[in-house]
Amino acid sequence: MAEYEKKVRQVLRENGCYFIRHGKGDHDIWHSPITGRNFPVDGEIRIRHVANGIMKQAGIDYHF
């Protein structure tokens, strides 16, 4: 099964997003300068649709 968390975090950093704090469970809170909003990033991203949802929340046009 594919794991997307490393690639998701890499793409987020390349687009100016940055880590804010740890959230509940294994989630982290990130901030996107594109949308100006904070959004959660799961610690274990195993589903492509979840990874694409994170990109959408960050305002990044990238698809897995």
Side-chain angles (χ1 to χ4, degrees):
M1 188 172 267
E3 294 188 9
Y4 296 96
E5 60 266 5
K6 288 183 181 181
K7 183 64 176 174
V8 166
R9 293 172 195 276
Q10 177 186 353
V11 172
L12 290 174
R13 285 190 199 100
E14 289 173 357
N15 285 276
C17 298
Y18 54 91
F19 172 82
I20 298 287
R21 63 180 172 85
H22 294 290
K24 291 185 178 185
D26 65 346
H27 287 76
D28 292 330
I29 307 300
W30 284 62
H31 179 80
S32 171
I34 298 167
T35 62
R37 302 178 80 179
N38 294 343
F39 56 94
V41 176
D42 196 351
E44 290 187 16
I45 305 168
R46 296 184 179 177
I47 302 171
R48 178 175 51 95
H49 299 292
V50 173
N52 288 334
I54 293 169
M55 294 294 116
K56 186 174 182 178
Q57 288 182 33
I60 299 170
D61 187 29
Y62 185 94
H63 303 285
F64 290 94

